[in-house]
């Protein structure tokens, strides 16, 4: 019977990419129990390029805000992980979160969460001014960490965190989920195959019009607010994926709002040899949120690049379209990368290595320095 079920699920997953099964599960009252059973089977299947896993990673969720809920919902689509525990600063919040997402354990403090011996990895989902403190708490408990971006507020904080992780050989990764999306992986394949020739120009924008709330996270300097750290990390990291994180020259301009943080910015990076990146970001202005990569033989367009489901290759008047028909939000792919790294004994991911994360944070520091923008707690 077990072999029949394994064959059935593997065949269903390989032909439908799990879509029909997931749709059925979403309508089932006992979704978490069934998903656990399904993951035990799918860990032995090869689904959408996911590596075969010998163990299901038990995740702890540190924080109960919006991004924590997004990541946790998507863990249901990860073939090698499950949401096992959640920790908050009070037990009521953790218990409500656990009940909503079918999580087995709720902890009333971050300390209790990180000291839970059953947890393999922790997703840090707190606001970025608290990332250094929270990540170090996890690392000192010996837990692997996936930290929501931006990694920290500045490079000095990140260097301290990375140094501890490396010295103690504990896994650590920035949660730049965009890099693990199938469409972005396809873009990297096209680039590696030199489909568009030598790359000369990258353009990427990410902006949205948030409410004018001076006390809110996006505009409050005491919470590390501003467009660069919240929205700008996406286009800056995207340019780094193509050209690296150390441009030879950096020009920037910003609209500093009434709270003293950047509400909108424009960047121009010069990497030498005619290679440049033009990047824009905003938290009070809606942008197209597209990315373009221009080469000597063609170009690539990525609509809504940060959560990309499509990428279009243009060469010699012809176009090739890659479409990702996933039903998940997309966070599951970064979670699967953490699981892959842990199963193979790696302490960082080659897709977003720690050295690059540090270089990106130094670049963000340099840009803020051009604007004279320092946070009160720095």
């Amino acid at each position: 019977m077990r072999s029949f079920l394994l064959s059935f699920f593997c065949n269903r997953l390989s032909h439908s990419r799990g879509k029909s099964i997931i749709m059925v599960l979403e309508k089932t009252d006992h979704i978490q129990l069934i998903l656990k059973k399904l993951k035990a089977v799918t860990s032995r299947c090869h689904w959408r390029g996911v590596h075969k896993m010998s163990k299901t990673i038990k995740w702890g969720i540190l924080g109960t805000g919006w991004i924590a809920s997004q990541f946790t919902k998507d863990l249901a689509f990860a073939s090698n992980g499950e949401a096992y525990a959640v920790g908050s600063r009070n037990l009521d919040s953790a218990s409500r979160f656990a009940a909503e997402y079918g999580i087995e354990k709720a902890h009333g403090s971050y300390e209790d969460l990180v000291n839970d011996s059953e947890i393999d990895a922790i997703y840090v989902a707190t606001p970025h001014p608290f990332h250094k403190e929270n990540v170090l708490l996890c690392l000192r408990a010996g837990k692997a960490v996936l930290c929501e971006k931006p990694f920290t507020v500045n490079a000095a904080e990140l260097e301290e965190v990375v140094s501890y992780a490396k010295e103690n050989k504990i896994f650590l990764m920035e949660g730049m989920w965009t890099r693990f999306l199938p469409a972005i992986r396809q873009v990297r394949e096209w680039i590696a195959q030199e489909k568009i020739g030598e790359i000369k120009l990258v353009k990427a924008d990410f902006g949205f019009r948030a409410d004018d709330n001076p006390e809110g996270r996006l505009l409050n300097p005491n919470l590390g607010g501003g467009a660069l750290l919240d929205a700008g990390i996406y286009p800056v990291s995207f340019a780094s994926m193509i050209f690296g994180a150390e441009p030879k020259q950096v020009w920037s301009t910003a609209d500093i709002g009434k709270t003293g943080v950047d509400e909108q910015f424009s960047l121009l990076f010069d990497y030498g040899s005619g290679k440049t990146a033009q990047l824009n970001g905003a938290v009070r202005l809606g942008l197209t949120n597209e990315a373009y990569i221009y080469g000597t033989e063609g170009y690539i367009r990525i609509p809504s690049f940060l959560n990309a489901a499509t990428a279009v290759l243009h060469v010699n008047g012809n176009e090739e379209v890659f479409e990702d028909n996933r039903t998940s939000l997309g966070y599951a792919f970064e979670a699967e990368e953490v699981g892959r790294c842990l199963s193979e004994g790696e302490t960082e991911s080659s897709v977003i290595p720690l050295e690059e994360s540090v270089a990106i944070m130094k670049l963000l520091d340099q840009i803020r320095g051009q604007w004279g923008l320092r946070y009160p707690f720095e």
Side-chain angles (χ1 to χ4, degrees), residues 16-74:
S16 68
R17 295 186 173 95
K19 184 174 181 180
S20 60
I21 294 176
I22 295 298
M23 289 176 65
V24 171
L25 294 179
E26 287 177 338
K27 298 177 181 178
T28 305
D29 292 336
H30 306 291
I31 180 171
Q32 293 300 325
L33 177 61
I34 296 175
L35 280 170
K36 288 179 182 178
K37 300 296 184 182
L38 176 58
K39 286 174 185 174
V41 176
T42 56
S43 65
R44 296 164 60 187
C45 303
H46 190 77
W47 181 22
R48 291 187 60 76
V50 175
H51 295 261
K52 298 178 182 178
M53 297 295 163
S54 58
K55 178 184 177 181
T56 296
I57 301 300
K58 291 186 175 181
W59 282 91
I61 312 299
L62 195 152
T64 56
W66 179 82
I67 193 62
S69 67
Q70 298 296 97
F71 180 84
T72 302
K73 284 189 290 188
D74 241 34

Side-chain angles (χ1 to χ4, degrees), residues 111 114-115 122 131-145 160-161 164-165 168 170-171:
E111 290 77 12
V114 303
N115 288 310
I122 294 178
H131 283 180
K132 173 192 167 184
E133 173 188 349
N134 297 155
V135 171
L136 284 174
L137 181 69
C138 298
L139 293 175
R140 287 167 180 156
K143 293 296 192 294
V145 177
E160 181 179 349
V161 169
Y164 187 92
N168 292 276
I170 303 172
F171 180 86

